[in-house]
Amino acid sequence: MAQKNNVTATVKDINYYKKKFWKLFFYGMGVMALFFTLASWGFFGRMPSFEDLENPESNLATEVISSDGVTIGKFYNENRTPIKYQDLPSHLVKALVATEDERFYEHSGIDARRTFGAALKLGSDGGASTISQQLAKQLFHGEGSKFFLFRVIQKVKEWIIAIKLERQYTKDEIIAMYFNVYDFNNYAIGIRSASKTYFSKEPKDLTIDESAILVGMFKNSSLYNPVRNPQGVKNRRNVVLSQMLKSKIISESQKESLSQLPIKLDFKLQTHKEGIATYFREFLREYMKNWVIENKKPDGTDYDIYTDGLKIYTTIDSKIQEHAEEAVQAHMKNLQQEFFSEQKTNKNAPFVNITDTETKNIIDKAMKNSERWRVMKDMDKSEDEIIASFGIKTKMKIFSWKGEIDTLMSPLDSIRYYKHFLQAGLMSMEPQTGHIKAWVGGINYKFFQYDHVGQGARQVGSTFKPFVYATAIEQLGMSPCDSIIDSPFMIHKGRHNVTVDWEPKNSDRQYRGMVTLKKALALSINTVSAKLIDKTGPEAVVTMTKKLGVKSEIPVQPSIALGAVDITVEDMVAAYSTFANQGVYIKPQFISRIEDKNGVVLYEPVPESHDVLNKDIAYAVIKLLEGVTESGSGVRLRTQGGGSGDSRWTGYPYMFTNAIAGKTGTSQNQSDGWFIGMVPNLVTGVWVGCEDRSARFKGITYGQGATAALPIWGYMMKKCYEDKALQISKDPFERPDNLSIKVDCYERKKDTIPDTTAIPIEEEQNTEEFGL
């Protein structure tokens, strides 16, 4: 009887626990269902809406694209540029799937097998997140919490979002989105930015081992950073290669050979202060501030160039830009050595012939314009406290032509140190279209951010003289072959509004007698320019200059004939381009079009142009300017002999034989050196000088435009001609049909190549001669 009771009790106990189990199971499933439902409703925090899932891409970088299709820069909060699935190499996609989610194409957002496996092992073998879950976390969730309960909630939300993503998008789209949102460090978000940053190439050009390196970074991009941890990255890359072998993506022999390869990078940090065309990109950024105000979105709001993923197609040619930057770097490094050498004996270096009071004013102005002054002023520091801080030595990183230097220096000393550096501005433009092809605003944007192309108007010296000659040809019916006497000349007080008698002198104080206009411009004879403006009147020259697009204020004084005018490089290049474009001025253009992130064209500029001169006059000016490179201060472009200061003619000899029209210019006391050179389809202007006009070369040998600026043009053009894909013209300038102006002047031919020791020196200007 007792035995029967024991059996009954046992059966009762089993049924009881079965009942309890199923009860708990269904309750648990109900709680889980409720938990998932509440989570999907946003009870534990906002969940992405249908619209969010439709438009998950946000915070996209705006790309700046060159005319030859190269991304030369970006504007961004996050450096992310989306890429389509079809632009990803297959081995990159397969490497990701093999390493991160081998059953990606089988599940619907959650890999149940991996999830239960990870749960049983309490995550000791790592997580079980699928690519879809990781994408969900990247897009809508962020980093997981360390608090267990919150982490569970977050994981559930990831599952829900992952399932929604799988329903909304194809597998290929999910792969592409994941590649596009991952942060690869070093300002590189997304595979395209990472590929450009670490390997300087597009994703489609990645090799198998490079793809493996980037896929390996998905585990932990900070830890497996190729720049900081090459050995760790190599180990991780080989793990990825092993997974690719396991998935039969590569063979055993491929895996072995690829595993032996060293980590080889072509690392180029993509920041606002790095890369090519930095000054141009900053100019473009300022332009876009106004553009977004004037060009609204369909809903009336402003575009954001840092998050809306616009594509700005510019007229800049990346190759010409690179050649221009290389020319500036090569020559300025060379010329700077001469400047430092000359300043060694100057007690007030780099300033020449100024008083202590004038020096103090320059330094004080620099202090008050500095970032240190602004920051300390915001901290409510007194002026005395701020000035005192400039005398205290501190650790700083300074610019040098041998690389950045870590040093201990007072901010006051650093101001004087930086005043020593020669600066440069260069712009190239296609005269027939107005398209700007290169823009170099300085020697190093990181340390010198003032743009000497668009911002800096400087005294142009003799490069202004062609405007006087063009006016004389138009107003007086003269030709390049007409003769004029080079002799002492004076404009008396009262004539043309001069306040005192003005008697310009030639720099060598010599007079050549009868010369043609072509010879006079080639030798930059001051008296001839003065006589021409006396005949036309300065008003006519100012009118001509304005029609040529110069925006600077120009005094109506005869002294402008010698270049006592401040004009930007941009305006000078546009003005000279008018001569190369048969007398038609075209406003410089730097944007071809702007598109939104979906490729819809938002803006296409309409070129602005107007007639300035007829074709015959424009061609006559071109022939005048050709004389400068045939027998004037630009003749060194064609010679191979040595001469005064030839060690600083970077890239010399140039030995050009094609038609080149150009003009050198040197301002008063050699504070500004210019050269503007033209071939039929490219006009380039170059300015060189120090930030302060009182910091300069003491003599004409190195301070003149022919030594300071012309070598940059020569070096750049040599590079452009070597680059056959650019198709820079070597043809003669187009001669108008039925030319009515005599341009072919008779000159006795020389039997030998001109001796460079006798190259004409650019005319030196002098303030007391201007009569201002």
Side-chain angles (χ1 to χ4, degrees):
M1 191 70 181
Q3 187 176 7
K4 183 178 179 182
N5 288 337
N6 287 337
V7 171
T8 303
T10 301
V11 171
K12 180 181 177 182
D13 287 345
I14 291 171
N15 290 334
Y16 174 79
Y17 287 114
K18 280 182 179 180
K19 196 175 190 179
K20 282 281 186 184
F21 170 78
W22 287 113
K23 194 173 184 179
L24 284 171
F25 176 78
F26 285 116
Y27 276 143
M29 292 296 291
V31 169
M32 285 184 64
L34 179 62
F35 187 78
F36 272 82
T37 302
L38 291 174
S40 65
W41 287 350
F43 186 80
F44 300 114
R46 182 182 177 276
M47 293 289 284
S49 65
F50 177 80
E51 289 76 18
D52 293 331
L53 291 173
E54 274 288 293
N55 302 282
E57 293 182 336
S58 60
N59 217 15
L60 296 178
T62 286
E63 283 189 273
V64 181
I65 303 168
S66 68
S67 62
D68 52 331
V70 176
T71 298
I72 59 176
K74 298 178 183 179
F75 303 134
Y76 58 83
N77 292 327
E78 292 182 354
N79 181 14
R80 180 156 65 93
T81 306
I83 190 170
K84 295 178 181 177
Y85 178 84
Q86 54 264 36
D87 295 323
L88 297 169
S90 61
H91 57 257
L92 177 67
V93 173
K94 291 176 181 178
L96 177 70
V97 173
T99 307
E100 296 290 315
D101 188 359
E102 59 186 348
R103 281 184 291 279
F104 173 69
Y105 292 102
E106 300 169 18
H107 62 67
S108 298
I110 301 172
D111 188 338
R113 191 192 310 176
R114 287 180 67 195
T115 300
F116 283 120
L120 289 173
K121 296 180 181 180
L122 300 177
S124 60
D125 285 348
S129 293
T130 63
I131 289 174
S132 302
Q133 287 174 253
Q134 292 178 52
L135 175 60
K137 181 166 69 172
Q138 294 282 338
L139 284 177
F140 305 109
H141 185 30
E143 209 43 59
S145 172
K146 290 186 166 66
F147 184 56
F148 178 74
L149 181 59
F150 287 168
R151 184 73 192 99
V152 170
I153 293 172
Q154 289 169 341
K155 183 59 70 174
V156 169
K157 289 169 72 174
E158 284 176 22
W159 288 344
I160 295 169
I161 296 170
I163 293 170
K164 286 184 176 182
L165 286 171
E166 290 271 354
R167 291 175 179 174
Q168 194 70 26
Y169 295 99
T170 66
K171 291 287 188 179
D172 289 352
E173 288 172 330
I174 288 172
I175 286 283
M177 288 167 66
Y178 187 44
F179 271 119
N180 282 330
V181 300
Y182 190 76
D183 186 347
F184 288 88
N185 265 284
N186 289 308
Y187 306 103
I189 297 178
I191 191 65
R192 186 155 184 245
S193 293
S195 181
K196 296 283 282 185
T197 296
Y198 294 111
F199 302 109
S200 297
K201 58 174 68 172
E202 292 290 337
K204 62 183 176 62
D205 299 319
L206 290 169
T207 61
I208 293 175
D209 68 299
E210 289 167 347
S211 293
I213 289 171
L214 294 178
V215 167
M217 293 179 73
F218 279 97
K219 185 174 180 66
N220 185 329
S221 60
S222 294
L223 177 60
Y224 298 111
N225 187 314
V227 178
R228 295 197 302 266
N229 182 15
Q231 186 55 52
V233 167
K234 184 175 181 180
N235 295 338
R236 179 62 186 164
R237 178 202 64 186
N238 292 348
V239 169
V240 174
L241 292 172
S242 295
Q243 289 298 111
M244 294 176 75
L245 172 63
K246 180 181 173 183
S247 298
K248 298 181 180 179
I249 300 166
I250 57 176
S251 65
E252 179 71 43
S253 61
Q254 281 181 296
K255 186 255 180 185
E256 290 301 319
S257 63
L258 291 171
S259 296
Q260 300 303 314
L261 293 176
I263 300 298
K264 187 176 180 181
L265 306 177
D266 187 359
F267 181 71
K268 292 178 182 174
L269 200 62
Q270 293 189 303
T271 72
H272 300 309
K273 295 183 179 180
E274 305 286 344
I276 69 168
T278 46
Y279 290 92
F280 171 76
R281 280 154 39 200
E282 184 56 32
F283 167 81
L284 182 62
R285 186 209 304 272
E286 289 298 315
Y287 171 84
M288 291 301 293
K289 287 180 181 178
N290 292 323
W291 185 89
V292 298
I293 294 171
E294 296 169 1
N295 298 268
K296 304 286 186 181
K297 289 182 180 179
D299 63 3
T301 60
D302 289 347
Y303 285 99
D304 187 333
I305 65 169
Y306 302 103
T307 62
D308 283 340
L310 303 179
K311 286 183 170 57
I312 306 173
Y313 290 88
T314 72
T315 62
I316 296 291
D317 186 294
S318 70
K319 290 295 184 184
I320 297 178
Q321 180 71 31
E322 286 175 358
H323 297 326
E325 291 186 8
E326 181 182 341
V328 168
Q329 294 286 303
H331 181 60
M332 298 309 292
K333 182 179 181 180
N334 184 18
L335 194 64
Q336 188 68 51
Q337 293 178 42
E338 189 66 40
F339 191 77
F340 278 141
S341 177
E342 187 178 283
Q343 295 297 325
K344 285 179 181 177
T345 58
N346 181 5
K347 292 181 180 179
N348 194 29
F351 310 114
V352 179
N353 294 340
I354 63 171
T355 65
D356 291 343
T357 301
E358 289 170 324
T359 302
K360 184 178 184 303
N361 289 339
I362 291 172
I363 300 298
D364 287 349
K365 184 179 179 181
M367 280 197 296
K368 291 179 180 178
N369 287 336
S370 69
E371 182 68 8
R372 170 181 285 270
W373 188 283
R374 186 192 67 78
V375 170
M376 294 188 74
K377 200 71 175 173
D378 290 344
M379 296 168 63
D380 294 325
K381 299 290 184 181
S382 70
E383 192 163 303
D384 288 341
E385 288 177 304
I386 298 173
I387 292 173
S389 76
F390 274 83
I392 301 171
K393 288 188 176 183
T394 183
K395 289 182 179 179
M396 63 177 68
K397 191 183 292 290
I398 61 172
F399 170 80
S400 87
W401 280 111
K402 294 180 179 179
E404 295 179 12
I405 299 173
D406 290 310
T407 188
L408 193 66
M409 181 184 288
S410 73
L412 195 62
D413 287 340
S414 74
I415 288 174
R416 190 178 283 266
Y417 170 75
Y418 281 124
K419 294 292 186 184
H420 279 75
F421 281 94
L422 292 162
Q423 298 294 327
L426 177 153
M427 193 182 100
S428 292
M429 186 173 117
E430 195 173 69
Q432 292 78 22
T433 62
H435 289 179
I436 296 173
K437 293 299 178 183
W439 180 301
V440 186
I443 58 173
N444 185 294
Y445 183 75
K446 183 176 180 180
F447 290 93
F448 307 97
Q449 288 163 21
Y450 188 80
D451 184 355
H452 293 283
V453 171
Q455 287 180 294
R458 295 293 289 249
Q459 195 173 102
V460 295
S462 295
T463 55
F464 190 87
K465 289 177 181 176
F467 307 154
V468 178
Y469 281 66
T471 307
I473 294 172
E474 182 184 57
Q475 299 287 325
L476 308 175
M478 301 183 76
S479 82
C481 302
D482 285 348
S483 295
I484 191 168
I485 297 176
D486 172 19
S487 61
F489 177 72
M490 178 182 290
I491 295 180
H492 293 284
K493 177 182 176 180
R495 181 170 171 79
H496 300 312
N497 303 313
V498 298
T499 56
V500 296
D501 290 347
W502 181 56
E503 185 178 10
K505 301 286 197 305
N506 293 331
S507 61
D508 57 5
R509 297 301 192 267
Q510 294 181 7
Y511 302 98
R512 298 162 181 82
M514 196 67 74
V515 293
T516 63
L517 289 192
K518 186 173 184 180
K519 193 71 173 178
L521 185 62
L523 300 179
S524 207
I525 299 173
N526 285 344
T527 59
V528 172
S529 295
K531 287 182 178 182
L532 292 176
I533 201 169
D534 179 51
K535 291 181 178 182
T536 65
E539 294 85 359
V541 174
V542 171
T543 299
M544 171 67 72
T545 307
K546 290 296 183 181
K547 286 170 68 178
L548 289 167
V550 173
K551 296 183 282 291
S552 304
E553 285 298 319
I554 303 173
V556 185
Q557 292 279 344
S559 57
I560 63 175
L562 308 189
V565 181
D566 285 1
I567 304 176
T568 64
V569 173
E570 181 183 8
D571 280 1
M572 288 300 286
V573 170
Y576 270 64
S577 293
T578 304
F579 303 133
N581 191 37
Q582 300 186 324
V584 179
Y585 168 83
I586 298 183
K587 185 179 179 181
Q589 187 172 318
F590 50 90
I591 292 176
S592 298
R593 69 184 186 280
I594 299 175
E595 296 179 355
D596 68 11
K597 66 181 181 181
N598 298 314
V600 176
V601 176
L602 305 176
Y603 172 74
E604 281 185 293
V606 178
E608 297 180 33
S609 66
H610 59 260
D611 292 340
V612 179
L613 301 164
N614 69 44
K615 293 181 181 181
D616 290 4
I617 296 172
Y619 185 71
V621 176
I622 289 292
K623 298 306 287 185
L624 283 170
L625 293 169
E626 284 184 353
V628 175
T629 67
E630 292 167 356
S631 61
S633 54
V635 73
R636 64 189 60 184
L637 290 171
R638 305 189 182 283
T639 59
Q640 60 180 342
S644 180
D646 66 344
S647 62
R648 301 305 180 197
W649 302 345
T650 314
Y652 185 81
Y654 312 107
M655 295 301 293
F656 296 124
T657 58
N658 55 294
I660 298 171
K663 187 71 188 80
T664 55
T666 310
S667 69
Q668 58 192 37
N669 300 325
Q670 306 84 234
S671 60
D672 304 276
W674 288 79
F675 181 70
I676 301 175
M678 301 188 284
V679 294
N681 63 351
L682 194 68
V683 177
T684 301
V686 183
W687 165 87
V688 171
C690 285
E691 178 184 291
D692 288 277
R693 301 183 195 217
S694 54
R696 56 182 177 80
F697 281 104
K698 296 175 184 176
I700 195 76
T701 299
Y702 299 105
Q704 64 174 310
T707 306
L710 178 144
I712 292 176
W713 190 91
Y715 189 107
M716 169 190 159
M717 291 300 290
K718 276 180 73 172
K719 291 291 182 181
C720 287
Y721 282 136
E722 289 168 5
D723 194 338
K724 302 302 182 185
L726 290 177
Q727 297 183 327
I728 303 300
S729 176
K730 287 188 176 182
D731 297 331
F733 288 87
E734 184 179 351
R735 186 185 183 103
D737 294 333
N738 303 314
L739 181 65
S740 61
I741 300 174
K742 184 179 180 181
V743 297
D744 300 315
C745 312
Y746 170 76
E747 288 186 26
R748 189 172 62 186
K749 297 293 182 182
K750 293 184 179 180
D751 296 328
T752 58
I753 294 174
D755 180 2
T756 54
T757 59
I759 288 173
I761 292 178
E762 178 57 54
E763 303 308 303
E764 181 179 0
Q765 307 301 336
N766 205 319
T767 49
E768 61 264 23
E769 295 176 354
F770 290 157
L772 294 178

